[in-house]
Amino acid sequence: MSKKVKIGNLIIGGGEKIAIQSMSTFKISSVDRAIEECNRLKNLGLDIMRFSVTDELDAKSFSLVKKGTSVPLVADIHFDYKLALKAIDGGADKIRINPGNIGGEDKVKAVADALKANNIPVRVGSNTGSIDKEFLAKYGKNEVSLGESALKNVAILEKYGVDNIVISVKASSVPLCVKAYEYIAKRTDYPLHLGVTEAGTEYNGVIKNSIGIGSLLLNGIGDTLRVSLSADPAREVVAGRAILSALNLINDRVEIIACPTCGRCQWDCMNFAKKVEEYTANIRKPLKIAVMGCVVNGPGEASDADLGIAGGKDCCVIFVKGEIKRKVSLEEVEREFFKEIDKCLQ
Ligand code: SF4
């Protein structure tokens, strides 16, 4: 079991719920927009939001954004230890930095002291672009060099008494990424932040992250995740929830079952399934809804759905646990089915 680490009002690790993270595509110094973004994504299931910190104004903005959202905020800093100190001072709930690349021991000590004084955690780690030169020469680009690079960053902080640590070892190759997390999970009990880095645009990125993050979580590895996508961060959050839901790790999501359709389908089943998905996207309750292509087989094939719809030539049937309740015409199907969904959610 991994250690517990507190980020703002949230605990990760130690068997707590797997926290979903995302990262803003704009700067935190756009304070009002940052608040809106955190709250928009929170409604979709976001647990932790990360912002890059590139100047002093960013570092100072954390306390202002925290006035408008309860989402714990992470400051992502590269190289500049002074910005790390300012972000900690400015109210960040967690820091993402690698102590190996911020300069001398005095700088590492200053950051370590600030982390301890404010009792906030830090994420350290490695990715295939930041493997320590020594390990790269010794092992090549593989799970050992990735894992050992991350552990080296951990050791630097531990030397100065920091033990409030989260680790990541990211790669864009799914097999390498999985092996690296497996490698490090055997060697540490700090919580692990999962993700396949630079995973790409939504379709391929979701596939890569689902396989990588999913196989690790199935084996009990990982405490928090980010599905990194070249897409609206909302899609990262939705994908994160879908992964956790598919693994039965959360039960607060509307699951849409939809048949692939075949020659028996006589209505626009696929488009209707999309509409139902959009209608229920923000709902945080467990409900299984089926959208099926034909009346003959649909209700039977989706008999475990809490609520379902199956189409015929001129009308649809609404069914509950496989039992047909009523018929609706194609003209009124959307209004009537959404009414039924609302009733289920009351
Ligand atoms: S539910 Fe009907 S339309 Fe859908 S795949 Fe099964 S048989 Fe085909």
Side-chain angles (χ1 to χ4, degrees):
M1 182 82 66
S2 57
K3 275 181 64 165
K4 288 189 178 184
V5 164
K6 196 160 182 278
I7 305 162
N9 52 14
L10 184 84
I11 293 175
I12 64 164
E16 295 287 330
K17 131 187 161 141
I18 310 292
I20 297 174
Q21 309 205 18
S22 186
M23 185 164 184
S24 173
T25 53
F26 57 87
K27 281 155 75 73
I28 191 167
S29 47
S30 303
V31 171
D32 291 343
R33 192 176 165 205
I35 291 170
E36 264 174 38
E37 182 73 337
C38 288
N39 293 335
R40 174 179 83 105
L41 300 183
K42 184 176 183 240
N43 284 337
L44 298 173
L46 177 80
D47 297 303
I48 299 167
M49 187 66 163
R50 182 158 46 117
F51 289 90
S52 50
V53 174
T54 60
D55 58 35
E56 213 167 301
L57 189 58
D58 292 337
K60 283 182 181 161
S61 298
F62 283 88
S63 56
L64 298 174
V65 174
K66 281 170 71 174
K67 285 183 185 155
T69 183
S70 61
V71 175
L73 306 177
V74 183
D76 188 290
I77 295 138
H78 282 175
F79 309 118
D80 189 340
Y81 87 106
K82 280 189 190 151
L83 281 182
L85 297 179
K86 284 186 177 135
I88 295 168
D89 199 39
D93 296 304
K94 181 182 166 197
I95 295 291
R96 164 76 182 108
I97 196 166
N98 272 338
N101 65 22
I102 61 172
E105 299 268 315
D106 52 332
K107 293 173 182 166
V108 175
K109 184 174 181 309
V111 173
D113 288 347
L115 288 168
K116 286 186 288 177
N118 290 275
N119 197 25
I120 67 166
V122 55
R123 171 157 72 94
V124 301
S126 58
N127 62 48
T128 39
S130 71
I131 297 175
D132 187 273
K133 280 187 190 133
E134 179 198 334
F135 297 127
L136 195 58
K138 196 167 168 188
Y139 304 112
K141 194 183 278 187
N142 61 17
E143 68 275 18
V144 181
S145 55
L146 266 170
E148 292 301 327
S149 298
L151 290 171
K152 186 173 175 179
N153 279 313
V154 171
I156 294 170
L157 284 171
E158 283 177 331
K159 185 175 160 193
Y160 292 102
V162 175
D163 61 359
N164 211 357
I165 296 172
V166 180
I167 306 176
S168 59
V169 277
K170 294 187 176 184
S172 63
S173 150
V174 175
L176 175 55
C177 195
V178 169
K179 278 190 210 156
Y181 277 104
E182 285 170 348
Y183 180 90
I184 205 152
K186 288 190 193 124
R187 289 161 178 81
T188 185
D189 62 358
Y190 288 120
L192 299 181
H193 167 117
L194 302 183
V196 176
T197 195
E198 293 131 24
T201 49
E202 185 166 353
Y203 180 80
N204 285 309
V206 167
I207 289 176
K208 286 176 89 171
N209 274 286
S210 302
I211 296 169
I213 293 171
S215 58
L216 288 163
L217 288 175
L218 271 178
N219 287 317
I221 296 172
D223 303 279
T224 178
L225 63 85
R226 179 191 177 198
V227 178
S228 83
L229 298 174
S230 300
D232 179 346
R235 304 307 298 162
E236 298 191 348
V237 178
V238 169
R241 286 187 71 218
I243 291 171
L244 294 181
S245 172
L247 297 171
N248 292 338
L249 291 172
I250 54 168
N251 186 25
D252 67 344
R253 187 170 175 272
V254 175
E255 185 184 346
I256 314 284
I257 304 166
C259 85
T261 78
C262 68
R264 292 180 192 87
C265 181
Q266 297 182 79
W267 74 304
D268 193 2
C269 174
M270 289 188 191
N271 204 24
F272 194 74
K274 267 192 214 151
K275 282 186 186 168
V276 174
E277 196 169 66
E278 278 161 20
Y279 187 70
T280 56
N282 292 1
I283 293 163
R284 308 286 295 279
K285 283 188 179 171
L287 186 69
K288 207 179 244 191
I289 300 176
V291 181
M292 306 300 283
C294 72
V295 176
V296 184
N297 292 341
E301 284 182 23
S303 60
D304 63 336
D306 301 304
L307 177 68
I309 184 114
K313 192 164 181 276
D314 308 309
C315 68
C316 291
V317 296
I318 292 174
F319 58 92
V320 172
K321 298 279 180 197
E323 259 188 51
I324 294 175
K325 292 290 172 197
R326 65 187 175 104
K327 273 188 190 177
V328 288
S329 70
L330 288 176
E331 292 73 48
E332 59 185 7
V333 61
E334 186 169 323
R335 193 183 65 235
E336 290 303 312
F337 194 60
F338 288 2
K339 256 195 231 166
E340 294 289 342
I341 293 173
D342 293 345
K343 265 195 234 163
C344 287
L345 294 168
Q346 274 166 11

